[in-house]
Amino acid sequence: MLGEDEVISLLNQAKYLYLCNISEPEDNSLRLVLEEAMVDRSDTGSARDPASPLAEIRKDASPIKSVDACNTFELQWSRYVAYLVTEELVGSGGSDEDEVYTGNLLRVYTKSHFLDHLSRDTGGHIEPILHYKLICQNHLIDVASYSPPEVWLLGTVSGSGGTKVRPN
């Protein structure tokens, strides 16, 4: 059984993540399912159109996708303050030099534009707000909450495994 730090480390060591599912299992709760992804060098792109204007650029390219060896993660907040899902390309612009965080694909912020927005535009908070951000290939997900998410390693994409942990 993997410990908390090991599962968070696995998530942050992934080269790429895809958001597979987002839902609210109960009022004001949030559930995310993420799949690790990697460059699939076994996919030679044989189905690509050689007459395409991009054929020369794509000739040595391989897709980024989830394969059987990739891990699947679930994060669940029993209660959130706010969350924001942004299309990855649009959300990748702007300056974040004044933000402070730890982590790679799962970031925990102590200073962020999202926290600034919440302090300006919301009120009635009874506890300090925590900010988590997931960096995925298809989306950027910002979650503000009063407590950390529960995190599960569901196993690999092929379906094995299952460890539940709670990050600090």
Side-chain angles (χ1 to χ4, degrees):
M1 181 185 214
L2 295 176
E4 164 186 321
D5 293 339
E6 293 168 303
V7 174
I8 299 302
S9 180
L10 275 176
L11 194 151
N12 273 314
Q13 288 175 25
K15 182 78 173 166
Y16 307 101
L17 289 174
Y18 277 103
L19 174 64
C20 297
N21 185 282
I22 184 169
S23 62
E24 292 193 25
E26 297 176 13
D27 285 349
N28 300 316
S29 69
L30 180 65
R31 177 181 175 265
L32 306 175
V33 176
L34 308 156
E35 284 185 355
E36 178 184 16
M38 60 181 58
V39 176
D40 183 5
R41 303 245 184 255
S42 68
D43 186 337
T44 60
S46 57
R48 295 185 185 130
D49 180 5
S52 166
L54 299 176
E56 183 61 28
I57 294 170
R58 294 175 60 182
K59 72 177 180 180
D60 295 323
S62 297
I64 296 170
K65 61 185 184 180
S66 295
V67 297
D68 285 349
C70 290
N71 290 312
T72 302
F73 302 92
E74 178 179 336
L75 289 83
Q76 187 163 340
W77 286 264
S78 59
R79 186 167 170 236
Y80 66 83
V81 173
Y83 67 92
L84 173 67
V85 179
T86 307
E87 192 275 325
E88 187 275 333
L89 182 63
V90 188
S92 296
S95 172
D96 62 356
E97 294 171 359
D98 57 336
E99 295 183 311
V100 179
Y101 63 88
T102 58
N104 183 32
L105 297 181
L106 171 59
R107 297 177 179 178
V108 181
Y109 285 80
T110 54
K111 182 179 180 198
S112 71
H113 300 154
F114 191 56
L115 286 171
D116 292 345
H117 162 70
L118 292 172
S119 69
R120 264 191 326 269
D121 294 344
T122 65
H125 302 290
I126 55 174
E127 299 174 46
I129 299 173
L130 306 171
H131 176 198
Y132 299 88
K133 184 173 200 144
L134 285 140
I135 311 298
C136 300
Q137 288 297 105
N138 52 348
H139 297 89
L140 304 174
I141 306 107
D142 292 276
V143 180
S145 68
Y146 298 122
S147 59
E150 290 184 289
V151 178
W152 290 265
L153 173 62
L154 298 179
T156 60
V157 170
S158 62
S160 62
T163 299
K164 178 180 175 180
V165 300
R166 186 177 190 87
N168 291 332

